[in-house]
Amino acid sequence: MSYSSAALELDRGSQPGPQRTEGEEHRTALLGNRLSVSDFVKIQKVFEPPEPTQTTCMSREEFMQRMTEIVGWGTKEEYGELFDKVDVAQDGFLNWDKLTSFILLVLYENDDPAKAAVVPQWKDLEFLPAKHKDTIQKVIFLKSSSRYLTISKEGLLAIWGENLKLQKTLPITSDATKLKHLWVTSLVSLENVNKIAVAFTSKEICFYDLLSEEFPCQYKLQGMKGTPICMDYWYDPLDANESILSFGDITGKVQTITFTTALISLFEHPAGACANEEATVTITWAELLSGYHRCCSTSEHKLHRGDWVRQVTYNASLDAIISSTTNNTNTVVLAWREKSKKHLKMTSFNIAQGIHAFDYHSQLNLIVTAGIDNRVCLWNPYVVSKPVGVLWGHSDSVIAVQFFAARKQLFSFSKDKVISSDVGSTVSFWMINNGQKIKQFTGCHGNAEISTMALDANETRLLTGSTDGTVKVWDFNGFCHHTLNVGQEGAVEISQILVLKKTTLVIGQGRTITVFQLQNFNQFFIQPEEWKGGIQHRDDILCAALLPPQTLVTGSYDGEIVLWNKSTENAHHVLHPDYQRPLESQTDTEPQNLLGAGRNCSSPPTGDQATLGACSFETDIKYNNAVMRLCFLEARKNIAVTGGANLVSCGGSGYVRFWDTFKKVLLAEFLAPSGAGSIIMSTDKLNQYLATGDLDGWLKIWNIEEYGLNSSESKITQAPALIRSFQPHEDQISALEMCELGGHSLIISSSADCSICVTDVCGAPVWIFGQAKHWQIENCFSLPKKDANLMESEIQEENVREISLLPKEELCLDPTEHSLLDKKNKDESTYKTRSSEVINLSIKYKGKNIHKKKSYNLYNDEVTQKSSSPFRSLSIGALKALPEVRKPAFLLEAEQYFREEQEEESPKIPELPSLYETLKAVFVEKNLFPKEILDHEQRAKQLCQETSSEVKIKRNKKHL
């Protein structure tokens, strides 16, 4: 390490005086770590000898005295501690060489760990107040005017000054884009001719003039076979007439337009056209192909074969068009232009899992790719077999890469963070690859607890819901942009936030859905609007899920799942494990019981009946079906035709249920935990695995790839294959998420024991976030996988341990008999009770919600081993007559079992003489304690008396 780098390391927070002191930990830190470069210069002057051949040494006392005088800050004790640290050999003196060697040694020891654990400290993000209503599609910089242009989906063009101040906004829309579901896809600048080109989903490209105040449309290119979604423009700096516009579309086609007289005109004006310069000239793609426009020519290739072209660019040094897709075949294509020939020569790279973006460095002759597999790869354009270098570090898909040639740097961007919240209203950001906390916001909702979180569609905003009835919208810099008022009539605990394309739905303790329109997000405080579908649930809604484009489902505390049309906001059906009913109007509330009589409570339960009343006990049994989580299996395509389950629910009874929302039928169900209680769940994107977490901290992973695909009338009750069962937490699992990392499926779980864990499906170790020693999750994937037979035997052993908790009578039953027994027990009039468990919707301990509007206490008809709170109700009735109990043999024939043995005479213990007979003299303190102790105690008493008398005299003087 050079001296300059050492000085920079020492300079961190090392300014003298109170400005440098930040908390007790900083004040008590080693003094040597807080000395700045200027401080060392002062110390070096003190150690300079009068002659070059001599060495200046200082003793401990001299060093303490001189340093406090020369440096000007710090105490003698601190400099004495520094002296002791340097003088390891205890020579009693130190010189300049000893001091600097010690400081450099400490820096060397701390250098490698610091580099390994450091996260680049970027400056705080500055969010610009824009007027865009939808996703920003492109940002470009105009070198000629030093301005920035941004354009969003809805066609709003914003112009920003060099100081990033918004100057003006203009609507850039064609006649076709005024129709619904049509928007802007890309933007590119034609700087040599002062124009911009904008691509639309209407399969047209419009050219606008930047020299005019209103940016009129000069040319409109129409008639293309596919929608252009990415564009690039290049012009020759030596001859601005030569330029190339390249673009890729959704059919996998890459097309180019080569302009030869760009400074004069991009396209030929039609004969007989009016001389009005503001008139828009319409050109068709067929005209370009026919050669009608002699000032330009076209070329194209279809090597991407139906995949969306994500990025395209022309590079002059290679004289090739580079394009990319997210497919693993023909991922990157180089189309080499040959001037003598019209067709293009192709070279393609096959990259596993595809890429999101690329960039080219002409001086290094390298192509860098942003891989979906979390890797940044460097490629030689002429070597397609393998990359020349691979850069690791991202734990999620890399979304963008960019060379910074001036600084000889490469930037890569990815979304690889884990976000957590707690009861203290704190939001924390973690690195998923090593468990390190990188950012934290405190007091997000004051003293209220954060109960749920969600990200917007672009994952650039964080929405937090709280028990105070508000939802706040944050950026990742900790700035609150909006506050959504959900609980207008008082505090409401929000259980879920569902962010849709144009609306945000909020689920809380109530029977209605709260909706906020995106068009109202132009002010800080936002009020909800009326949900057109009204109230269809009989109890509080707990969760919701969306199946694009229109199907919305909501689950409530009484086990009902309501199917809605998202666009019309009308409900059309109700699903329940025991019945289903269509909804024709908002007043249709009577269920169609498909399983016959089984419920004694015919009327819908009210809030009071859920806690009190003669029917309360049976109502609690009914609430075993409380729906806590809903999840659509979006990876299962064509379910409407082939049949099968496309919706999964879980909740209070511990059952996981698979539904077919098209046929409105329950296809399969199984009991996930070994004991009774509420569960939560999560599934991966491919819907291969299902993870369930219970109240005891157990996590189970199931293989559901082929589960619930039957379309028969009989319901499946057998559980799917159990892949893994383990207990990563000591308390209730409060949240579950599954994600992909390096081709492995990860499960992230949080618990009421205040821990966040991550592991994978196949049996990797459980890693805990926030540890002092940062782990590297990639290392665990290189471990050999467990033998399948060994894993199966371990699961069977775990199942045996779980089954052993059941009564012996139930152990003798097979799984089908168990399901029949459970069915029978539900229909009996008497039930076994279970101690209450509180459903937690965030990270908190049991019993947190006893003062809330309704405690969601769930019961089950099985006896469990442990209880955590008093029973909620007791059933008292006449006791059954017991059969006559036969006395055991040892009571009937006691003489055979118990023999009387003769007692042996034990020697008599002589009685001790009484105390008064042996006492020779009275005990006094002088005989018990040494004289020194008695004298010390006497002096202390005298001093105390003198002090108290002096205090009394002073008090009397004050009163006088």
Side-chain angles (χ1 to χ4, degrees):
M1 179 184 289
S2 63
Y3 180 81
S4 59
S5 61
L8 289 174
E9 188 74 17
L10 289 168
D11 237 345
R12 294 180 181 176
S14 59
Q15 298 303 318
Q19 294 180 353
R20 262 187 338 211
T21 305
E22 297 180 3
E24 290 187 10
E25 183 179 354
H26 186 74
R27 290 194 295 268
T28 58
L30 183 64
L31 184 67
N33 293 337
R34 297 188 284 138
L35 292 171
S36 64
V37 177
S38 60
D39 295 334
F40 275 102
V41 172
K42 296 177 183 178
I43 296 173
Q44 185 181 18
K45 291 180 179 180
V46 176
F47 279 99
E48 288 181 356
E51 297 293 336
T53 58
Q54 297 178 354
T55 303
T56 302
C57 299
M58 293 187 188
S59 64
R60 189 177 192 275
E61 296 295 327
E62 184 181 5
F63 180 80
M64 294 165 56
Q65 183 66 31
R66 297 290 301 275
M67 292 303 104
T68 53
E69 295 174 357
I70 297 299
V71 178
W73 62 273
T75 63
K76 291 184 177 181
E77 290 76 10
E78 289 177 324
Y79 287 104
E81 182 182 356
L82 177 60
F83 185 96
D84 296 336
K85 294 283 186 181
V86 177
D87 189 21
V88 180
Q90 297 183 355
D91 296 328
F93 69 93
L94 60 80
N95 52 29
W96 175 247
D97 291 339
K98 272 190 175 183
L99 179 61
T100 54
S101 298
F102 170 79
I103 296 298
L104 290 176
L105 180 62
V106 172
L107 291 177
Y108 273 121
E109 292 176 349
N110 297 334
D111 188 47
D112 291 340
K115 286 182 178 179
V118 70
V119 175
Q121 298 297 317
W122 299 87
K123 290 185 178 180
D124 291 340
L125 297 177
E126 181 181 355
F127 288 89
L128 306 177
K131 295 184 179 181
H132 294 292
K133 303 295 184 183
D134 211 331
T135 305
I136 297 176
Q137 298 288 67
K138 197 71 177 291
V139 180
I140 61 175
F141 178 69
L142 303 178
K143 295 180 182 179
S144 58
S145 58
S146 297
R147 293 186 297 177
Y148 293 91
L149 298 182
T150 60
I151 196 166
S152 52
K153 272 187 179 182
E154 79 275 13
L156 185 65
L157 180 71
I159 305 169
W160 307 79
E162 191 175 12
N163 57 357
L164 298 179
K165 299 295 183 182
L166 183 63
Q167 295 179 348
K168 63 184 297 187
T169 57
L170 292 172
I172 302 294
T173 56
S174 66
D175 296 335
T177 56
K178 293 179 182 178
L179 301 176
K180 195 175 182 181
H181 303 309
L182 295 178
W183 55 70
V184 172
T185 59
S186 186
L187 165 71
V188 71
S189 170
L190 287 63
E191 287 209 47
N192 60 328
V193 293
N194 294 307
K195 292 178 176 60
I196 59 172
V198 182
F200 298 92
T201 54
S202 54
K203 301 179 183 179
E204 61 182 1
I205 299 176
C206 299
F207 298 82
Y208 298 88
D209 185 14
L210 294 179
L211 297 179
S212 178
E213 185 70 20
E214 297 299 326
F215 290 10
C217 179
Q218 288 188 337
Y219 303 100
K220 184 180 294 185
L221 178 59
Q222 297 178 335
M224 291 175 284
K225 297 296 179 65
T227 300
I229 56 175
C230 60
M231 294 192 300
D232 180 71
Y233 184 78
W234 170 89
Y235 70 93
D236 189 349
L238 301 179
D239 183 6
N241 279 312
E242 298 287 336
S243 59
I244 297 176
L245 174 67
S246 55
F247 54 93
D249 61 23
I250 61 175
T251 65
K253 187 183 296 183
V254 175
Q255 299 165 315
T256 63
I257 304 176
T258 303
F259 301 100
T260 56
T261 59
L263 296 180
I264 301 174
S265 177
L266 293 177
F267 304 99
E268 301 283 348
H269 285 267
C274 59
N276 186 5
E277 294 184 357
E278 294 185 359
T280 302
V281 178
T282 302
I283 302 115
T284 64
W285 184 252
E287 292 177 2
L288 296 181
L289 293 177
S290 64
Y292 172 78
H293 296 269
R294 291 173 292 178
C295 56
C296 61
S297 61
T298 64
S299 63
E300 64 180 41
H301 74 79
K302 305 176 182 178
L303 198 58
H304 291 299
R305 298 172 184 171
D307 297 317
W308 286 28
V309 182
R310 300 293 179 174
Q311 184 179 350
V312 63
T313 184
Y314 170 76
N315 185 266
S317 59
L318 294 176
D319 195 15
I321 299 102
I322 310 174
S323 57
S324 67
T325 68
T326 56
N327 200 335
N328 56 6
T329 303
N330 296 331
T331 310
V332 178
V333 173
L334 275 73
W336 309 89
R337 299 174 67 235
E338 297 181 1
K339 294 183 179 179
S340 59
K341 299 180 181 179
K342 190 174 182 180
H343 68 275
L344 302 171
K345 183 180 179 181
M346 306 296 176
T347 302
S348 63
F349 298 80
N350 298 330
I351 303 176
Q353 300 185 36
I355 66 171
H356 282 302
F358 66 87
D359 194 21
Y360 176 74
H361 196 296
S362 57
Q363 297 177 358
L364 299 178
N365 193 29
L366 287 177
I367 298 175
V368 59
T369 57
I372 297 177
D373 59 355
N374 314 340
R375 300 190 304 171
V376 176
C377 296
L378 302 172
W379 303 81
N380 186 321
Y382 305 101
V383 180
V384 300
S385 58
K386 63 179 181 179
V388 297
V390 179
L391 306 179
W392 297 89
H394 290 289
S395 56
D396 203 348
S397 299
V398 187
I399 58 176
V401 286
Q402 182 72 51
F403 279 114
F404 198 168
R407 294 187 179 181
K408 298 181 180 180
Q409 292 177 334
L410 170 63
F411 292 125
S412 60
F413 306 88
S414 71
K415 300 177 286 187
D416 46 8
K417 293 189 292 292
V418 175
I419 308 175
S420 66
S421 63
D422 57 27
V423 295
S425 200
T426 299
V427 174
S428 301
F429 295 78
W430 310 83
M431 296 290 289
I432 193 174
N433 61 328
N434 59 12
Q436 180 184 1
K437 183 186 291 185
I438 56 176
K439 190 176 291 186
Q440 181 172 290
F441 308 149
T442 59
C444 295
H445 288 264
N447 297 326
E449 172 189 342
I450 296 177
S451 56
T452 187
M453 296 188 298
L455 291 171
D456 67 346
N458 301 318
E459 297 186 359
T460 58
R461 294 288 187 269
L462 174 67
L463 288 79
T464 58
S466 174
T467 55
D468 62 2
T470 62
V471 173
K472 294 187 177 182
V473 183
W474 308 82
D475 57 40
F476 292 153
N477 201 35
F479 180 77
C480 181
H481 292 266
H482 309 284
T483 297
L484 284 58
N485 185 16
V486 181
Q488 294 180 329
E489 299 178 357
V492 174
E493 180 177 353
I494 298 169
S495 59
Q496 187 177 350
I497 303 170
L498 196 61
V499 181
L500 307 181
K501 183 178 179 180
K502 294 184 178 180
T503 58
T504 298
L505 306 183
V506 180
I507 308 300
Q509 282 188 352
R511 296 186 296 152
T512 60
I513 300 174
T514 306
V515 57
F516 295 88
Q517 298 292 339
L518 183 62
Q519 61 187 10
N520 298 330
F521 278 54
N522 54 2
Q523 50 192 348
F524 185 79
F525 291 103
I526 303 174
Q527 301 300 327
E529 295 189 3
E530 181 182 0
W531 178 255
K532 300 176 183 178
I535 299 175
Q536 297 294 345
H537 281 281
R538 297 168 173 158
D539 213 315
D540 291 351
I541 305 175
L542 300 181
C543 58
L546 176 71
L547 178 64
Q550 304 297 344
T551 305
L552 173 70
V553 294
T554 53
S556 61
Y557 184 58
D558 58 2
E560 289 190 343
I561 300 175
V562 176
L563 279 64
W564 308 77
N565 184 299
K566 179 182 69 70
S567 299
T568 62
E569 299 183 0
N570 290 326
H572 56 85
H573 217 91
V574 173
L575 302 178
H576 190 273
D578 295 341
Y579 58 84
Q580 64 90 16
R581 56 188 174 95
L583 290 175
E584 297 178 358
S585 64
Q586 297 185 11
T587 60
D588 187 6
T589 58
E590 290 298 326
Q592 299 175 3
N593 197 330
L594 301 182
L595 301 180
R599 302 289 177 190
N600 294 329
C601 296
S602 59
S603 60
T606 62
D608 294 336
Q609 287 175 335
T611 55
L612 296 173
C615 195
S616 63
F617 188 74
E618 295 183 6
T619 302
D620 293 330
I621 299 301
K622 182 179 180 180
Y623 286 168
N624 280 338
N625 296 317
V627 182
M628 300 303 301
R629 293 290 189 277
L630 287 168
C631 178
F632 275 107
L633 304 177
E634 297 186 31
R636 295 187 174 185
K637 307 297 183 182
N638 301 323
I639 289 295
V641 179
T642 61
N646 65 334
L647 175 67
V648 186
S649 67
C650 72
S653 60
Y655 275 90
V656 179
R657 295 185 169 95
F658 286 71
W659 307 81
D660 185 344
T661 59
F662 296 102
K663 297 182 179 180
K664 317 296 188 303
V665 64
L666 176 62
L667 295 181
E669 66 177 9
F670 66 93
L671 186 62
S674 57
S678 175
I679 62 171
I680 60 174
M681 66 177 180
S682 180
T683 182
D684 64 323
K685 291 182 179 179
L686 299 178
N687 302 142
Q688 293 178 337
Y689 307 109
L690 177 75
T692 58
D694 60 24
L695 299 174
D696 295 325
W698 280 88
L699 189 63
K700 294 186 178 182
I701 305 169
W702 313 82
N703 187 345
I704 62 168
E705 187 173 9
E706 302 294 332
Y707 190 76
L709 291 177
N710 66 306
S711 57
S712 61
E713 297 181 358
S714 59
K715 181 177 63 177
I716 298 176
T717 57
Q718 184 178 359
L722 180 61
I723 299 175
R724 190 180 179 192
S725 177
F726 58 103
Q727 188 180 17
H729 299 284
E730 298 295 330
D731 207 337
Q732 169 187 347
I733 295 179
S734 56
L736 274 179
E737 290 291 340
M738 295 191 71
C739 63
E740 293 290 329
L741 174 61
H744 293 76
S745 295
L746 297 185
I747 302 100
I748 305 173
S749 60
S750 64
S751 169
D753 62 6
C754 301
S755 67
I756 306 173
C757 299
V758 60
T759 185
D760 78 336
V761 172
C762 300
V766 177
W767 303 90
I768 303 176
F769 286 79
Q771 301 302 299
K773 184 178 180 181
H774 299 148
W775 33 265
Q776 292 296 328
I777 198 170
E778 293 88 355
N779 297 338
C780 71
F781 296 146
S782 60
L783 298 175
K785 293 185 178 180
K786 286 189 176 182
D787 184 76
N789 297 328
L790 179 60
M791 290 181 61
E792 184 177 357
S793 62
E794 290 177 354
I795 292 172
Q796 290 176 354
E797 291 177 4
E798 181 59 42
N799 292 338
V800 170
R801 288 197 296 269
E802 294 174 356
I803 294 173
S804 63
L805 300 178
L806 297 173
K808 292 183 178 179
E809 293 80 6
E810 296 187 24
L811 287 175
C812 302
L813 302 178
D814 59 19
T816 57
E817 290 174 335
H818 266 296
S819 62
L820 294 175
L821 180 62
D822 294 340
K823 191 80 174 179
K824 179 181 178 182
N825 290 338
K826 289 182 180 179
D827 294 335
E828 291 178 353
S829 59
T830 58
Y831 294 85
K832 299 174 184 178
T833 57
R834 180 184 187 272
S835 58
S836 61
E837 296 282 0
V838 179
I839 295 178
N840 292 306
L841 300 180
S842 61
I843 303 176
K844 53 189 175 183
Y845 281 97
K846 301 183 183 86
K848 180 76 176 177
N849 296 335
I850 57 175
H851 299 298
K852 291 182 179 177
K853 168 189 163 186
K854 177 187 292 185
S855 295
Y856 293 138
N857 300 323
L858 303 181
Y859 300 86
N860 196 285
D861 56 347
E862 296 180 3
V863 179
T864 57
Q865 262 194 329
K866 63 178 184 178
S867 60
S868 60
S869 60
F871 288 106
R872 180 169 176 266
S873 61
L874 293 174
S875 178
I876 301 176
L879 297 176
K880 295 181 179 180
L882 296 176
E884 184 180 355
V885 180
R886 295 184 60 186
K887 295 182 180 180
F890 68 85
L891 292 179
L892 297 175
E893 300 175 357
E895 65 277 359
Q896 296 182 7
Y897 294 89
F898 305 100
R899 296 179 181 178
E900 295 183 1
E901 298 180 358
Q902 295 180 356
E903 296 181 358
E904 298 180 359
E905 294 183 359
S906 57
K908 294 184 178 180
I909 300 175
E911 295 183 1
L912 295 175
S914 59
L915 183 60
Y916 72 88
E917 294 177 355
T918 59
L919 187 60
K920 296 180 180 180
V922 179
F923 286 101
V924 294
E925 290 182 349
K926 294 180 180 180
N927 299 332
L928 294 176
F929 301 101
K931 184 175 181 300
E932 294 80 6
I933 296 178
L934 297 174
D935 293 342
H936 183 271
E937 183 181 4
Q938 184 64 27
R939 288 195 298 270
K941 289 181 180 180
Q942 292 177 0
L943 181 60
C944 183
Q945 292 175 357
E946 292 174 0
T947 304
S948 60
S949 61
E950 290 178 0
V951 172
K952 290 180 180 179
I953 293 172
K954 291 180 180 179
R955 287 178 179 175
N956 294 334
K957 288 182 179 180
K958 288 182 179 180
H959 289 301
L960 294 175

